[in-house]
Amino acid sequence: QSYLDNFWPDLKAAHELFDSILQARRERESESQENNGKEYPEHLPVEILEAGIKSGRYIQGTLNVNKHRAQLEAFVRLQGFGSKETG
């Protein structure tokens, strides 16, 4: 802000862009605080997920996504299974 004020006081577009970026950053920080510091909100509460895993309704694993073909290739490696068994 001070750089723009000192060196480019008449460049209105740059000041508007800075204000827009600052506002977006503040909104993102407030959303992050609302979500307890998490970037994305949880789909289900942790208690429901834990109960679902214990009951066998849900499975727990690690999602692996091909970085070169992310839209087409991904698999889940289930916890507790050997490295050859995936789903």
Short mmCIF file of all heavy atoms in Angstrom, two decimals, residues 13-51:
data_model
loop_
_atom_site.label_atom_id
_atom_site.label_comp_id
_atom_site.label_asym_id
_atom_site.label_seq_id
_atom_site.Cartn_x
_atom_site.Cartn_y
_atom_site.Cartn_z
N ALA A 13 -5.91 2.32 -11.32
CA ALA A 13 -6.14 0.88 -11.55
C ALA A 13 -5.32 0.02 -10.57
O ALA A 13 -5.81 -0.99 -10.06
CB ALA A 13 -5.79 0.52 -12.99
N ALA A 14 -4.09 0.42 -10.30
CA ALA A 14 -3.25 -0.34 -9.37
C ALA A 14 -3.82 -0.27 -7.96
O ALA A 14 -3.81 -1.28 -7.23
CB ALA A 14 -1.81 0.18 -9.40
N HIS A 15 -4.30 0.89 -7.55
CA HIS A 15 -4.91 1.02 -6.22
C HIS A 15 -6.18 0.19 -6.11
O HIS A 15 -6.42 -0.44 -5.08
CB HIS A 15 -5.20 2.50 -5.93
CG HIS A 15 -3.98 3.30 -5.61
ND1 HIS A 15 -3.46 3.40 -4.35
CD2 HIS A 15 -3.16 4.02 -6.42
CE1 HIS A 15 -2.39 4.16 -4.37
NE2 HIS A 15 -2.17 4.55 -5.62
N GLU A 16 -6.97 0.16 -7.17
CA GLU A 16 -8.19 -0.65 -7.15
C GLU A 16 -7.86 -2.13 -7.09
O GLU A 16 -8.52 -2.90 -6.38
CB GLU A 16 -9.03 -0.34 -8.39
CG GLU A 16 -9.68 1.03 -8.36
CD GLU A 16 -10.39 1.38 -9.65
OE1 GLU A 16 -10.37 0.55 -10.60
OE2 GLU A 16 -10.99 2.47 -9.71
N LEU A 17 -6.84 -2.54 -7.83
CA LEU A 17 -6.42 -3.94 -7.80
C LEU A 17 -5.93 -4.32 -6.41
O LEU A 17 -6.27 -5.38 -5.89
CB LEU A 17 -5.33 -4.19 -8.84
CG LEU A 17 -4.74 -5.60 -8.88
CD1 LEU A 17 -5.82 -6.63 -9.22
CD2 LEU A 17 -3.62 -5.67 -9.90
N PHE A 18 -5.12 -3.45 -5.81
CA PHE A 18 -4.63 -3.72 -4.46
C PHE A 18 -5.79 -3.85 -3.48
O PHE A 18 -5.82 -4.77 -2.66
CB PHE A 18 -3.67 -2.60 -4.01
CG PHE A 18 -3.18 -2.80 -2.60
CD1 PHE A 18 -2.15 -3.67 -2.34
CD2 PHE A 18 -3.78 -2.12 -1.55
CE1 PHE A 18 -1.70 -3.87 -1.04
CE2 PHE A 18 -3.35 -2.32 -0.25
CZ PHE A 18 -2.30 -3.20 0.00
N ASP A 19 -6.75 -2.94 -3.54
CA ASP A 19 -7.92 -3.00 -2.65
C ASP A 19 -8.71 -4.29 -2.85
O ASP A 19 -9.17 -4.91 -1.89
CB ASP A 19 -8.82 -1.79 -2.86
CG ASP A 19 -8.18 -0.49 -2.41
OD1 ASP A 19 -7.24 -0.54 -1.58
OD2 ASP A 19 -8.61 0.58 -2.90
N SER A 20 -8.83 -4.73 -4.10
CA SER A 20 -9.55 -5.95 -4.40
C SER A 20 -8.84 -7.17 -3.82
O SER A 20 -9.46 -8.06 -3.23
CB SER A 20 -9.71 -6.10 -5.91
OG SER A 20 -10.28 -7.34 -6.24
N ILE A 21 -7.52 -7.21 -3.98
CA ILE A 21 -6.73 -8.32 -3.43
C ILE A 21 -6.80 -8.34 -1.91
O ILE A 21 -6.96 -9.39 -1.30
CB ILE A 21 -5.27 -8.23 -3.92
CG1 ILE A 21 -5.21 -8.49 -5.42
CG2 ILE A 21 -4.38 -9.21 -3.15
CD1 ILE A 21 -3.86 -8.19 -6.04
N LEU A 22 -6.71 -7.17 -1.31
CA LEU A 22 -6.78 -7.07 0.15
C LEU A 22 -8.14 -7.55 0.67
O LEU A 22 -8.21 -8.29 1.65
CB LEU A 22 -6.52 -5.62 0.57
CG LEU A 22 -6.38 -5.35 2.06
CD1 LEU A 22 -5.20 -6.14 2.63
CD2 LEU A 22 -6.16 -3.87 2.29
N GLN A 23 -9.21 -7.16 -0.01
CA GLN A 23 -10.55 -7.59 0.40
C GLN A 23 -10.72 -9.10 0.26
O GLN A 23 -11.25 -9.76 1.15
CB GLN A 23 -11.61 -6.87 -0.43
CG GLN A 23 -13.02 -7.26 -0.04
CD GLN A 23 -14.06 -6.55 -0.89
OE1 GLN A 23 -13.73 -5.70 -1.71
NE2 GLN A 23 -15.31 -6.91 -0.69
N ALA A 24 -10.22 -9.67 -0.84
CA ALA A 24 -10.31 -11.13 -1.04
C ALA A 24 -9.53 -11.86 0.04
O ALA A 24 -9.97 -12.90 0.54
CB ALA A 24 -9.80 -11.49 -2.42
N ARG A 25 -8.38 -11.33 0.40
CA ARG A 25 -7.56 -11.96 1.44
C ARG A 25 -8.27 -11.92 2.78
O ARG A 25 -8.28 -12.91 3.52
CB ARG A 25 -6.22 -11.25 1.52
CG ARG A 25 -5.28 -11.85 2.51
CD ARG A 25 -3.94 -11.16 2.48
NE ARG A 25 -3.11 -11.67 3.55
CZ ARG A 25 -2.05 -11.05 4.01
NH1 ARG A 25 -1.67 -9.92 3.48
NH2 ARG A 25 -1.35 -11.58 4.98
N ARG A 26 -8.89 -10.80 3.11
CA ARG A 26 -9.62 -10.70 4.38
C ARG A 26 -10.81 -11.66 4.41
O ARG A 26 -11.07 -12.29 5.45
CB ARG A 26 -10.11 -9.27 4.57
CG ARG A 26 -9.00 -8.31 4.94
CD ARG A 26 -9.52 -6.91 5.14
NE ARG A 26 -8.42 -6.00 5.42
CZ ARG A 26 -8.43 -4.72 5.12
NH1 ARG A 26 -9.48 -4.17 4.54
NH2 ARG A 26 -7.39 -3.96 5.41
N GLU A 27 -11.51 -11.79 3.29
CA GLU A 27 -12.63 -12.73 3.24
C GLU A 27 -12.16 -14.15 3.42
O GLU A 27 -12.80 -14.94 4.13
CB GLU A 27 -13.37 -12.58 1.91
CG GLU A 27 -14.16 -11.30 1.79
CD GLU A 27 -14.78 -11.11 0.41
OE1 GLU A 27 -14.67 -12.01 -0.44
OE2 GLU A 27 -15.38 -10.03 0.19
N ARG A 28 -11.05 -14.49 2.80
CA ARG A 28 -10.51 -15.85 2.93
C ARG A 28 -10.08 -16.13 4.36
O ARG A 28 -10.30 -17.21 4.88
CB ARG A 28 -9.34 -16.04 1.97
CG ARG A 28 -8.80 -17.44 1.97
CD ARG A 28 -7.77 -17.60 0.90
NE ARG A 28 -8.03 -18.84 0.22
CZ ARG A 28 -7.27 -19.35 -0.68
NH1 ARG A 28 -6.20 -18.71 -1.07
NH2 ARG A 28 -7.56 -20.49 -1.25
N GLU A 29 -9.46 -15.14 5.01
CA GLU A 29 -9.04 -15.32 6.40
C GLU A 29 -10.24 -15.48 7.32
O GLU A 29 -10.21 -16.30 8.24
CB GLU A 29 -8.17 -14.14 6.84
CG GLU A 29 -6.79 -14.15 6.24
CD GLU A 29 -5.99 -12.88 6.55
OE1 GLU A 29 -6.54 -11.96 7.18
OE2 GLU A 29 -4.81 -12.84 6.16
N SER A 30 -11.30 -14.72 7.07
CA SER A 30 -12.49 -14.86 7.92
C SER A 30 -13.16 -16.21 7.70
O SER A 30 -13.63 -16.83 8.65
CB SER A 30 -13.47 -13.71 7.68
OG SER A 30 -14.06 -13.81 6.41
N GLU A 31 -13.19 -16.69 6.46
CA GLU A 31 -13.73 -18.03 6.18
C GLU A 31 -12.89 -19.09 6.85
O GLU A 31 -13.41 -20.07 7.38
CB GLU A 31 -13.80 -18.28 4.69
CG GLU A 31 -14.86 -17.49 3.97
CD GLU A 31 -14.79 -17.64 2.46
OE1 GLU A 31 -13.95 -18.42 1.97
OE2 GLU A 31 -15.58 -16.98 1.77
N SER A 32 -11.58 -18.91 6.85
CA SER A 32 -10.68 -19.87 7.47
C SER A 32 -10.90 -19.92 8.99
O SER A 32 -10.89 -20.99 9.59
CB SER A 32 -9.22 -19.51 7.17
OG SER A 32 -8.34 -20.39 7.80
N GLN A 33 -11.14 -18.75 9.59
CA GLN A 33 -11.41 -18.72 11.02
C GLN A 33 -12.75 -19.39 11.33
O GLN A 33 -12.87 -20.07 12.34
CB GLN A 33 -11.42 -17.28 11.52
CG GLN A 33 -10.04 -16.66 11.55
CD GLN A 33 -10.06 -15.18 11.91
OE1 GLN A 33 -11.12 -14.58 12.02
NE2 GLN A 33 -8.89 -14.61 12.09
N GLU A 34 -13.74 -19.21 10.46
CA GLU A 34 -15.03 -19.86 10.66
C GLU A 34 -14.91 -21.37 10.58
O GLU A 34 -15.65 -22.10 11.23
CB GLU A 34 -16.04 -19.36 9.63
CG GLU A 34 -16.46 -17.92 9.83
CD GLU A 34 -17.32 -17.41 8.69
OE1 GLU A 34 -17.69 -18.21 7.80
OE2 GLU A 34 -17.63 -16.21 8.68
N ASN A 35 -13.98 -21.87 9.75
CA ASN A 35 -13.78 -23.31 9.57
C ASN A 35 -12.68 -23.84 10.47
O ASN A 35 -12.11 -24.89 10.20
CB ASN A 35 -13.45 -23.61 8.11
CG ASN A 35 -14.59 -23.30 7.19
OD1 ASN A 35 -15.75 -23.45 7.56
ND2 ASN A 35 -14.29 -22.86 5.98
N ASN A 36 -12.35 -23.12 11.54
CA ASN A 36 -11.31 -23.52 12.50
C ASN A 36 -9.97 -23.73 11.82
O ASN A 36 -9.25 -24.68 12.11
CB ASN A 36 -11.73 -24.78 13.26
CG ASN A 36 -12.97 -24.56 14.08
OD1 ASN A 36 -13.16 -23.50 14.66
ND2 ASN A 36 -13.85 -25.55 14.13
N GLY A 37 -9.61 -22.86 10.90
CA GLY A 37 -8.31 -22.92 10.25
C GLY A 37 -8.22 -23.88 9.09
O GLY A 37 -7.19 -24.01 8.47
N LYS A 38 -9.31 -24.57 8.77
CA LYS A 38 -9.30 -25.52 7.67
C LYS A 38 -9.69 -24.81 6.39
O LYS A 38 -10.59 -23.98 6.38
CB LYS A 38 -10.25 -26.68 7.95
CG LYS A 38 -9.84 -27.47 9.17
CD LYS A 38 -10.84 -28.53 9.48
CE LYS A 38 -10.42 -29.25 10.76
NZ LYS A 38 -11.44 -30.14 11.23
N GLU A 39 -9.00 -25.13 5.32
CA GLU A 39 -9.28 -24.46 4.05
C GLU A 39 -10.64 -24.85 3.49
O GLU A 39 -11.34 -24.04 2.90
CB GLU A 39 -8.18 -24.79 3.05
CG GLU A 39 -8.29 -23.99 1.78
CD GLU A 39 -7.09 -24.16 0.88
OE1 GLU A 39 -6.08 -24.71 1.30
OE2 GLU A 39 -7.20 -23.75 -0.29
N TYR A 40 -11.02 -26.11 3.66
CA TYR A 40 -12.29 -26.59 3.14
C TYR A 40 -13.15 -27.09 4.30
O TYR A 40 -12.65 -27.74 5.21
CB TYR A 40 -12.08 -27.74 2.15
CG TYR A 40 -11.25 -27.33 0.97
CD1 TYR A 40 -9.91 -27.66 0.89
CD2 TYR A 40 -11.82 -26.61 -0.06
CE1 TYR A 40 -9.14 -27.26 -0.20
CE2 TYR A 40 -11.07 -26.21 -1.15
CZ TYR A 40 -9.73 -26.55 -1.22
OH TYR A 40 -8.99 -26.17 -2.29
N PRO A 41 -14.45 -26.84 4.28
CA PRO A 41 -15.30 -27.35 5.34
C PRO A 41 -15.43 -28.86 5.24
O PRO A 41 -15.37 -29.43 4.16
CB PRO A 41 -16.64 -26.66 5.08
CG PRO A 41 -16.62 -26.29 3.64
CD PRO A 41 -15.17 -26.05 3.29
N GLU A 42 -15.63 -29.50 6.38
CA GLU A 42 -15.79 -30.94 6.40
C GLU A 42 -17.17 -31.32 5.88
O GLU A 42 -18.14 -30.61 6.10
CB GLU A 42 -15.62 -31.46 7.83
CG GLU A 42 -14.24 -31.21 8.40
CD GLU A 42 -14.14 -31.62 9.86
OE1 GLU A 42 -15.16 -31.97 10.48
OE2 GLU A 42 -13.02 -31.60 10.37
N HIS A 43 -17.26 -32.47 5.21
CA HIS A 43 -18.54 -32.94 4.71
C HIS A 43 -19.37 -33.56 5.82
O HIS A 43 -20.56 -33.36 5.91
CB HIS A 43 -18.34 -33.95 3.58
CG HIS A 43 -17.75 -33.34 2.36
ND1 HIS A 43 -18.47 -32.58 1.49
CD2 HIS A 43 -16.49 -33.36 1.87
CE1 HIS A 43 -17.71 -32.15 0.50
NE2 HIS A 43 -16.50 -32.61 0.71
N LEU A 44 -18.72 -34.32 6.66
CA LEU A 44 -19.39 -34.95 7.80
C LEU A 44 -18.57 -34.66 9.05
O LEU A 44 -17.35 -34.59 8.99
CB LEU A 44 -19.50 -36.46 7.61
CG LEU A 44 -20.38 -36.96 6.47
CD1 LEU A 44 -20.23 -38.46 6.30
CD2 LEU A 44 -21.83 -36.62 6.75
N PRO A 45 -19.22 -34.55 10.20
CA PRO A 45 -18.47 -34.37 11.44
C PRO A 45 -17.58 -35.59 11.72
O PRO A 45 -17.88 -36.71 11.31
CB PRO A 45 -19.55 -34.25 12.51
CG PRO A 45 -20.79 -33.86 11.78
CD PRO A 45 -20.66 -34.46 10.41
N VAL A 46 -16.48 -35.34 12.42
CA VAL A 46 -15.52 -36.40 12.70
C VAL A 46 -16.17 -37.55 13.45
O VAL A 46 -15.88 -38.73 13.19
CB VAL A 46 -14.33 -35.82 13.52
CG1 VAL A 46 -13.39 -36.92 13.98
CG2 VAL A 46 -13.58 -34.79 12.71
N GLU A 47 -17.08 -37.25 14.37
CA GLU A 47 -17.73 -38.31 15.17
C GLU A 47 -18.50 -39.29 14.27
O GLU A 47 -18.46 -40.50 14.47
CB GLU A 47 -18.70 -37.69 16.20
CG GLU A 47 -18.04 -36.78 17.20
CD GLU A 47 -17.79 -35.38 16.69
OE1 GLU A 47 -18.48 -34.94 15.75
OE2 GLU A 47 -16.88 -34.72 17.21
N ILE A 48 -19.18 -38.76 13.26
CA ILE A 48 -19.96 -39.62 12.35
C ILE A 48 -19.01 -40.47 11.51
O ILE A 48 -19.26 -41.66 11.29
CB ILE A 48 -20.89 -38.77 11.46
CG1 ILE A 48 -21.97 -38.13 12.33
CG2 ILE A 48 -21.50 -39.60 10.35
CD1 ILE A 48 -22.88 -37.19 11.59
N LEU A 49 -17.91 -39.87 11.04
CA LEU A 49 -16.94 -40.65 10.26
C LEU A 49 -16.33 -41.77 11.09
O LEU A 49 -16.21 -42.91 10.63
CB LEU A 49 -15.84 -39.73 9.72
CG LEU A 49 -16.26 -38.77 8.62
CD1 LEU A 49 -15.11 -37.84 8.28
CD2 LEU A 49 -16.73 -39.51 7.39
N GLU A 50 -15.93 -41.46 12.33
CA GLU A 50 -15.33 -42.49 13.19
C GLU A 50 -16.31 -43.62 13.47
O GLU A 50 -15.95 -44.79 13.43
CB GLU A 50 -14.85 -41.86 14.49
CG GLU A 50 -13.63 -40.97 14.31
CD GLU A 50 -13.22 -40.24 15.57
OE1 GLU A 50 -14.03 -40.19 16.54
OE2 GLU A 50 -12.10 -39.70 15.59
N ALA A 51 -17.56 -43.27 13.74
CA ALA A 51 -18.57 -44.30 13.99
C ALA A 51 -18.81 -45.13 12.74
O ALA A 51 -18.97 -46.36 12.81
CB ALA A 51 -19.88 -43.65 14.45
#
